[in-house]
């Protein structure tokens, strides 16, 4: 039967350490993805300026821009979103478990 518990000690250190480990593994994975996307954006910026920003705008240019920068924006904003989501979700899990 599930009951509400008010402290991490009642859940058990093994469960708390598993949750802690998985949260940080996800955060480090997201950091790796963000780093690779930023690195790719920086090393290809010269070609992007040459081919994209100096050419006339077309529908294909819009598709390229959305494909490139929505992914970068998502990768950069995801760690901040996940931090708030994890801080709001983790205590609820610990209390209900």
């Amino acid at each position: 039967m599930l009951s509400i518990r008010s402290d991490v000690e009642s859940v058990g250190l093994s469960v708390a350490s598993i949750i802690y480990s998985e949260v940080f593994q996800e955060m480090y994975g997201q950091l790796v993805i963000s780093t690779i996307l930023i690195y790719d954006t920086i090393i290809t910026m010269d070609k992007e300026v040459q081919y994209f920003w100096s050419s006339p705008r077309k529908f294909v240019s819009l598709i390229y821009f959305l494909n490139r920068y929505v992914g970068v924006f998502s990768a950069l904003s995801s760690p901040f979103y996940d931090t708030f989501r994890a801080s709001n979700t983790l205590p609820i899990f610990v209390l209900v478990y």
Side-chain angles (χ1 to χ4, degrees):
M1 179 175 175
L2 293 176
S3 63
I4 297 177
R5 298 178 183 163
S6 62
D7 57 344
V8 176
E9 294 169 351
S10 64
V11 174
L13 293 177
S14 63
V15 174
S17 67
I18 290 171
I19 294 169
Y20 184 78
S21 173
E22 292 201 10
V23 167
F24 276 98
Q25 284 178 1
E26 181 180 341
M27 287 174 36
Y28 288 134
Q30 188 63 39
L31 179 65
V32 168
I33 292 169
S34 299
T35 304
I36 291 171
L37 278 173
I38 291 169
Y39 177 74
D40 178 62
T41 301
I42 290 171
I43 65 170
T44 59
M45 186 60 74
D46 59 338
K47 292 179 183 175
E48 182 177 339
V49 168
Q50 179 183 0
Y51 295 115
F52 177 73
W53 294 106
S54 61
S55 65
R57 301 293 172 255
K58 298 177 183 175
F59 181 70
V60 176
S61 300
L62 175 66
I63 299 294
Y64 169 80
F65 183 79
L66 290 175
N67 184 41
R68 179 145 174 112
Y69 289 104
V70 167
V72 172
F73 176 74
S74 174
L76 291 176
S77 63
S78 183
F80 299 110
Y81 172 74
D82 288 344
T83 300
F84 293 119
R85 183 184 59 149
S87 65
N88 290 335
T89 306
L90 193 56
I92 292 171
F93 175 78
V94 171
L95 290 175
V96 174
Y97 187 84

